[in-house]
Amino acid sequence: MDEIIRAVSKDGFVKISVVTARDAVQRANAIHHCSPTAIAALGRSLCAASMLGDLLKEENGTLTLRISGGGGLGSIIAVSDSEGNVRGMVSNPAFDLPTRPDGKLDVGGAVGRGLLRVLRSNGEGEPYCGVNEIVSGEIAEDVASYYAVSEQIPTVCAAGVLVDRDLSCLSAGGALVQLLPGAPDDLAARLEQNAASAPAVSSIYNGGTPEDAAAVYLAGIEYDVFDSFECGYVCPCSRARTTRALLALGKDELEDMYRSPEETSLGCQFCGRQYVYSKDEIKALAEKAARAKR
């Protein structure tokens, strides 16, 4: 399993979440059969969503990152619960680009420019949605920009995926550092210096731990780790949820499905699980929807 740790500086002005996410990214790749660039983009998004979901106060809350850059990968969606468990998808997982001149995967080019949306839900009512322009397409920079611009929270975000030659995930993880109100200027400068001198976060996790990542991004700052827990790639889809979604379509739509010569099959975009409904089951749902409408 993957792991998140949370820490706070002893002066109370800095908080950090760090996550190792190799298993989650490997699971996402097995489901979606991604190109190297696609799994790097999706994996970074999963890392970021996991750390942001960890910030949620509501036990049943969810956080969704929706990245619509207009590039060849299409949309990227990463969803996290309040315990850092994630699931995600990319519209065009087979899309790839040549590596950049520096030999790195061209995630920014594949994502493109457009909008990053952050949706938070407490499980009731309409979710809160924040929007910011994508500044680089490299995911972590875009998340940091969102928090700085849309929520006025100075943030350092790092997220990385190291892809092996056989397209397996060698390492994946991230770090999210936020400066709290009242922090002195020299502390902000220290965090910026640490981030600028930090090695690629994927290299930290290639043999390293979340504690190692925290030590890099909080170098020279005294801090305490106050929580750690396991997380992973978790999809909460079920036949019951799918049935509720079908009922929400209403009587007329369900009757159209019943008249179709084919069975009704619904697939989960996050885990690939298929839910098949016989014609008799669709007929029964249409009748139930009709009764509920009276």
Side-chain angles (χ1 to χ4, degrees):
M1 289 288 287
D2 299 321
E3 182 186 14
I4 286 179
I5 71 167
R6 294 191 286 180
V8 63
S9 62
K10 289 186 179 294
D11 60 16
F13 287 128
V14 180
K15 63 180 180 180
I16 183 172
S17 293
V18 287
V19 62
T20 176
R22 179 183 177 276
D23 289 350
V25 174
Q26 192 83 303
R27 173 66 178 146
N29 202 12
I31 293 168
H32 299 295
H33 308 291
C34 295
S35 72
T37 309
I39 195 54
L42 178 57
R44 293 180 191 181
S45 303
L46 291 172
C47 291
S50 180
M51 295 183 293
L52 296 180
D54 174 55
L55 299 177
L56 293 170
K57 295 182 174 68
E58 300 85 4
E59 183 177 346
N60 296 320
T62 60
L63 181 138
T64 302
L65 280 183
R66 184 182 293 270
I67 300 163
S68 305
L73 290 176
S75 295
I76 301 171
I77 299 174
V79 184
S80 174
D81 62 21
S82 59
E83 296 179 346
N85 296 307
V86 289
R87 59 192 185 274
M89 56 82 64
V90 54
S91 297
N92 302 315
F95 180 80
D96 205 7
L97 285 176
T99 55
R100 303 182 327 200
D102 61 5
K104 296 182 178 180
L105 295 171
D106 190 3
V107 172
V111 170
R113 301 294 188 273
L115 296 177
L116 178 145
R117 292 177 173 86
V118 179
L119 295 91
R120 297 188 192 88
S121 172
N122 62 6
E124 300 177 3
E126 290 294 319
Y128 164 82
C129 180
V131 183
N132 195 51
E133 290 185 359
I134 292 173
V135 295
S136 71
E138 297 289 334
I139 311 300
E141 293 174 37
D142 303 304
V143 169
S145 175
Y146 166 81
Y147 272 93
V149 174
S150 298
E151 305 204 9
Q152 287 78 54
I153 302 175
T155 300
V156 170
C157 183
V161 176
L162 189 59
V163 182
D164 204 352
R165 293 178 181 273
D166 63 0
L167 303 188
S168 63
C169 177
L170 280 175
S171 69
L176 184 78
V177 189
Q178 293 189 323
L179 202 60
L180 303 180
D185 292 341
D186 61 338
L187 185 57
R190 181 69 190 186
L191 291 175
E192 291 176 0
Q193 180 182 344
N194 288 348
S197 61
V201 70
S202 58
S203 68
I204 297 174
Y205 286 110
N206 190 19
T209 66
E211 288 81 359
D212 295 329
V216 168
Y217 287 93
L218 295 181
I221 300 170
E222 293 186 335
Y223 63 92
D224 293 313
V225 175
F226 65 89
D227 202 4
S228 66
F229 47 91
E230 292 183 341
C231 56
Y233 193 101
V234 177
C235 184
C237 76
S238 66
R239 190 174 182 84
R241 285 185 177 219
T242 306
T243 299
R244 288 195 295 271
L246 285 170
L247 282 170
L249 295 176
K251 168 181 169 292
D252 294 342
E253 185 74 21
L254 288 165
E255 287 181 343
D256 286 344
M257 291 182 180
Y258 174 71
R259 287 190 288 268
S260 171
E262 300 177 353
E263 286 184 323
T264 297
S265 178
L266 299 180
C268 176
Q269 62 181 338
F270 295 116
C271 69
R273 196 174 292 131
Q274 294 289 320
Y275 297 96
V276 179
Y277 290 79
S278 69
K279 295 184 71 65
D280 287 343
E281 288 174 315
I282 294 297
K283 181 180 180 182
L285 288 174
E287 292 170 350
K288 184 174 181 179
R291 290 195 298 271
K293 194 175 180 180
R294 293 172 189 165

